[in-house]
Amino acid sequence: EGVRLELFAFPGPRDRRMEMYMVTLEPGAVFSADMLYSDRCDGQDDFIYVIAGTANVTTDKRSMTVGHDEACYVTYENIQSLSNRDQVQTKLIWCIHRIL
């Protein structure tokens, strides 16, 4: 509810080692990220860039707030959720790189 996830499609191999998403979070929305993790890999690196609003990023080790025009890079952690606690829409780009 209140979450839109758009996959960027690009030409090339389809081994799905890297995926890029545009995520839109309406005010109060929470996205549970467990559906984007795979048992087929040894881990993953995540890069998030916030285009508008503020994203609250929760991993299995910490929580952080990433504001407009800010980015975060997460490695050796699993992102559990993305949320928008503000009263304005949040838009971000999320790049996932799987380590096979």
Side-chain angles (χ1 to χ4, degrees), residues 16-78:
R16 297 182 59 119
R17 286 185 49 205
M18 185 176 77
E19 294 177 359
M20 291 188 67
Y21 295 92
M22 174 75 72
V23 181
T24 304
L25 300 167
E26 296 301 330
V30 177
F31 174 67
S32 177
D34 57 350
M35 66 181 255
L36 296 182
Y37 285 85
S38 171
D39 294 334
R40 299 178 292 127
C41 65
D42 292 329
Q44 69 186 46
D45 295 328
D46 298 270
F47 175 82
I48 293 174
Y49 177 76
V50 177
I51 298 168
T54 302
N56 299 294
V57 181
T58 302
T59 75
D60 52 1
K61 296 182 181 177
R62 61 188 165 140
S63 293
M64 64 192 101
T65 301
V66 185
H68 174 252
D69 277 341
E70 293 181 338
C72 72
Y73 181 84
V74 177
T75 189
Y76 300 113
E77 299 178 47
N78 290 326

Side-chain angles (χ1 to χ4, degrees), residues 1-6 22-32 52 54-55 82-92:
E1 192 76 26
V3 177
R4 186 170 65 232
L5 191 68
E6 300 172 70
M22 174 75 72
V23 181
T24 304
L25 300 167
E26 296 301 330
V30 177
F31 174 67
S32 177
T54 302
L82 301 173
S83 61
N84 178 3
R85 296 183 190 143
D86 289 339
Q87 298 301 313
V88 296
Q89 185 182 74
T90 294
K91 248 187 190 325
L92 59 93

